[in-house]
Amino acid sequence: MTMRLSNQQLHSSTLNDLQNISNQLFNTQRKMSSGKEITKPSDDPFGTTRALSYRRDLDDITQTQANVDDATSWQTVTSTALMDVTNVVHRAQELLVQGGNDSNGPAERESIAKEIDQLVESAKSAANANYGGRYVFAGTATDTKPYLVGGADAYQGDNGNIVRTIGPGVSVAVNTIGDNVIGSSGGDGKLLDTLRNIATHLRGGTPADGDALRNGDISALNTNLDQVNAANATVGAQTNRLTTAKSRLAELEENSSTQLSNVEDADMAEVLTNYSLQQAVYQSALKAGANIVQSSLMDFLR
């Protein structure tokens, strides 16, 4: 049995079809203007979930990149300060050779001792280097100057490590402890202690003091230089590691951005093609719908 559509049903069906085509055209226009395949979660719930996941990944990468940049800057400041300390040691070696000569009188030895005193202060000043208002040699006590220039040689910081996350599950300590490099004097055998001993031996002027200058003090100063060089080598190795981490993070960022783009961004060539087709269909549907509605109205009048 053949069912006949009433004029009202035909009219309603035509309007529904026109509305559907209009909605499709509107959605395509929205993709054209935004350049996005997904403009609201209902467009693609699964794709939206994936996009949120990729965005979280990108946020984590951005934070880790900031950590790496901060750590790299920290290492740069540390390396510069250690080079200043190295220069202090080199100058102290020159003065030690000069002061160990028995031909020097009390005045000459005192003059050299005073310069050694200044080298102590220079070493402490270098160890008070800071980055962004944080003292890089003070351990976790970054608000505290590790050394009192013009005061006692005692180390004022702590032995804690400043740690930065530079990758998924990867963290590194970025700081160098001042006490491990130049010491606190008071017999610890580190640089400040050696320099104080040199100054004392220069002012002593006895044969024993002269022997100490030419033997023990030279050996101790060479050991101190090795300690400073070792610290600088560690900083260099950490800097290289940070450079590698930054390159890896750049690759991860590019990969996540590409995946996010594949989910979110519209294929503009496809969108433009669809828009042309949908526009043609819409125009045709409008003409056909007008004829159907007009014919229905004429049938009603008859």
Side-chain angles (χ1 to χ4, degrees), residues 55-122:
R55 287 192 181 280
R56 283 194 296 270
D57 290 344
L58 285 170
D59 287 343
D60 290 342
I61 291 170
T62 298
Q63 179 58 59
T64 306
Q65 287 174 323
N67 292 343
V68 171
D69 289 340
D70 180 73
T72 300
S73 296
W74 191 291
Q75 299 292 63
T76 298
V77 171
T78 301
S79 179
T80 299
L82 288 173
M83 289 304 300
D84 290 341
V85 174
T86 300
N87 292 334
V88 165
V89 178
H90 287 159
R91 179 56 182 162
Q93 288 175 322
E94 295 172 359
L95 292 173
L96 184 56
V97 171
Q98 180 182 343
N101 192 328
D102 288 337
S103 63
N104 291 313
E108 288 81 7
R109 290 196 301 272
E110 178 62 25
S111 176
I112 296 172
K114 286 182 178 179
E115 186 170 350
I116 293 292
D117 291 340
Q118 292 304 309
L119 290 179
V120 170
E121 304 307 320
S122 295

Side-chain angles (χ1 to χ4, degrees), residues 267-275:
D267 183 340
M268 294 309 295
E270 181 181 353
V271 170
L272 291 171
T273 299
N274 289 340
Y275 179 74

Side-chain angles (χ1 to χ4, degrees), residues 18-301:
L18 284 171
Q19 184 62 48
N20 289 334
I21 297 172
S22 177
N23 288 339
Q24 292 176 4
L25 188 59
F26 173 76
N27 288 333
T28 303
Q29 287 175 323
R30 187 170 56 187
K31 290 180 184 180
M32 289 175 59
S33 61
S34 68
K36 299 294 182 182
E37 186 70 28
I38 301 174
T39 56
K40 60 183 185 297
S42 59
D43 290 340
D44 183 354
F46 178 66
T48 299
T49 300
R50 291 175 62 199
L52 289 174
S53 177
Y54 292 138
R55 287 192 181 280
R56 283 194 296 270
D57 290 344
L58 285 170
D59 287 343
D60 290 342
I61 291 170
T62 298
Q63 179 58 59
T64 306
Q65 287 174 323
N67 292 343
V68 171
D69 289 340
D70 180 73
T72 300
S73 296
W74 191 291
Q75 299 292 63
T76 298
V77 171
T78 301
S79 179
T80 299
L82 288 173
M83 289 304 300
D84 290 341
V85 174
T86 300
N87 292 334
V88 165
V89 178
H90 287 159
R91 179 56 182 162
Q93 288 175 322
E94 295 172 359
L95 292 173
L96 184 56
V97 171
Q98 180 182 343
N101 192 328
D102 288 337
S103 63
N104 291 313
E108 288 81 7
R109 290 196 301 272
E110 178 62 25
S111 176
I112 296 172
K114 286 182 178 179
E115 186 170 350
I116 293 292
D117 291 340
Q118 292 304 309
L119 290 179
V120 170
E121 304 307 320
S122 295
K124 290 194 289 185
S125 293
N128 283 343
N130 73 85
Y131 163 61
R134 297 168 292 175
Y135 293 100
V136 300
F137 289 96
T140 57
T142 56
D143 292 335
T144 302
K145 281 187 177 183
Y147 292 98
L148 300 177
V149 177
D153 297 337
Y155 176 64
Q156 304 297 311
D158 61 33
N159 293 321
N161 287 324
I162 304 295
V163 177
R164 294 288 181 268
T165 298
I166 63 170
V170 181
S171 298
V172 296
V174 300
N175 63 314
T176 301
I177 306 300
D179 194 37
N180 295 338
V181 180
I182 67 173
S184 296
S185 195
D188 63 8
K190 303 243 174 42
L191 179 60
L192 297 182
D193 186 55
T194 300
L195 293 176
R196 292 300 188 190
N197 287 337
I198 292 172
T200 298
H201 295 149
L202 283 167
R203 291 186 170 102
T206 68
D209 289 320
D211 288 340
L213 289 170
R214 290 185 290 270
N215 296 291
D217 290 342
I218 288 179
S219 177
L221 203 53
N222 289 337
T223 298
N224 299 151
L225 181 59
D226 290 339
Q227 292 168 339
V228 176
N229 287 339
N232 216 351
T234 298
V235 171
Q238 289 175 332
T239 300
N240 291 337
R241 185 178 182 185
L242 292 170
T243 300
T244 300
K246 187 169 185 176
S247 297
R248 175 57 179 160
L249 287 169
E251 292 174 1
L252 290 174
E253 181 182 33
E254 182 178 0
N255 182 54
S256 294
S257 296
T258 299
Q259 291 176 323
L260 178 61
S261 177
N262 290 339
V263 172
E264 276 192 339
D265 294 348
D267 183 340
M268 294 309 295
E270 181 181 353
V271 170
L272 291 171
T273 299
N274 289 340
Y275 179 74
S276 297
L277 291 174
Q278 290 168 359
Q279 195 173 42
V281 170
Y282 184 63
Q283 294 298 328
S284 298
L286 283 176
K287 292 179 182 178
N291 291 332
I292 290 173
V293 172
Q294 185 178 22
S295 297
S296 299
L297 180 59
M298 294 303 295
D299 290 343
F300 175 77
L301 291 176

